[in-house]
Amino acid sequence: MKEIARALNRPLEVVKRALDVIKKLDPRPGLRYNKTEPRLVEPDVYFRKVDDQWQAFLNEDDMPQLRLSPTYAACWCVMPPTAMCAIT
């Protein structure tokens, strides 16, 4: 504290009082207004070391399920992938 008082060119007693005030402050004042718990962020990709090599893996826990409309599925099966499917 002496070094702080010297650097600020203030008496040591003033620095001590300021430190007492700072100790009483709330480091997270916003928590009084927001009562919800923070959501944990889950990565889409994670890395794991396998046999001295790092490999990337998809986190499939929250991966959306993809569905294909039966109309488009039928179109895909009938036509080659390069052809355009005209659905009426």
Side-chain angles (χ1 to χ4, degrees):
M1 273 195 288
K2 291 178 184 178
E3 295 153 4
I4 295 172
R6 194 173 324 129
L8 295 175
N9 197 22
R10 298 284 182 227
L12 183 59
E13 186 57 39
V14 171
V15 173
K16 285 182 181 179
R17 280 188 281 154
L19 185 60
D20 289 339
V21 170
I22 291 171
K23 285 180 180 180
K24 293 176 185 172
L25 294 176
D26 184 359
R28 295 186 179 97
L31 291 180
R32 285 183 267 166
Y33 306 105
N34 185 7
K35 301 292 184 194
T36 60
E37 289 292 319
R39 288 185 13 180
L40 295 178
V41 177
E42 293 186 31
D44 294 330
V45 178
Y46 61 94
F47 298 90
R48 187 182 302 155
K49 196 169 188 176
V50 178
D51 298 330
D52 294 331
Q53 284 190 328
W54 288 98
Q55 295 184 4
F57 296 91
L58 282 177
N59 183 1
E60 297 181 12
D61 291 344
D62 292 327
M63 200 65 88
Q65 296 294 319
L66 298 178
R67 296 179 302 175
L68 185 60
S69 163
T71 305
Y72 287 110
C75 181
W76 180 260
C77 294
V78 173
M79 303 189 111
T82 56
M84 293 297 292
C85 181
I87 299 174
T88 56

